[in-house]
Amino acid sequence: HVQLVESGGGSVQAGGSLKLSCVISGYTYKTYCIEWFRQAPGKEREAVAGIASAAGTSYAASVKGRFAISKDVADTVLNLTLRIDSLKPEDTAMYYCALCTRRNGGFCSQNEYNYWGQGTQVTVS
């Protein structure tokens, strides 16, 4: 049973930093793509940063240089982290982590992600 649980969101002032965490349990295979998405009110969900086991890391152009994704693996638990620096009001959104197991370690399109967390809210003022 695969589970994704996010944490680390909050309310911060512009220019500040946050570290979001996603604990992925129950997935024991070595190929995966894990990504952070965000959705602001009234906007479509967008991918912001991802790691694919066979393809490295990827960032949306709008967050390059401010967002940093990383992961570590301990037994059957994947810990995914998103460090966000120089926060802007336009970063305000619900942030979700997601796991795709369908591309043998390559990046997935949004509709291919088969496991999602419940989200963590980031509010920048």
Side-chain angles (χ1 to χ4, degrees):
H1 179 59
V2 178
Q3 286 190 305
L4 289 75
V5 180
E6 303 98 331
S7 62
S11 296
V12 296
Q13 291 190 332
S17 298
L18 272 179
K19 187 172 77 171
L20 307 184
S21 297
C22 175
V23 177
I24 304 172
S25 59
Y27 184 72
T28 58
Y29 300 98
K30 293 185 179 180
T31 58
Y32 53 82
C33 180
I34 41 181
E35 188 124 26
W36 285 98
F37 291 84
R38 68 183 180 185
Q39 187 166 23
K43 294 189 176 180
E44 293 189 355
R45 187 168 57 196
E46 62 173 344
V48 293
I51 294 178
S53 57
T57 59
S58 176
Y59 294 93
S62 60
V63 306
K64 271 184 181 177
R66 298 191 301 117
F67 285 32
I69 190 170
S70 61
K71 63 140 181 78
D72 67 80
V73 181
D75 294 328
T76 60
V77 175
L78 267 164
N79 293 290
L80 184 67
T81 299
L82 184 68
R83 170 83 183 185
I84 310 174
D85 294 322
S86 303
L87 277 156
K88 304 176 181 181
E90 51 263 43
D91 294 321
T92 295
M94 184 71 81
Y95 284 72
Y96 301 89
C97 64
L99 168 67
C100 175
T101 62
R102 297 172 175 167
R103 288 281 180 171
N104 200 31
F107 284 105
C108 297
S109 58
Q110 189 172 148
N111 61 2
E112 292 179 305
Y113 282 83
N114 39 343
Y115 299 99
W116 292 82
Q118 82 289 347
T120 187
Q121 177 69 39
V122 172
T123 303
V124 185
S125 59

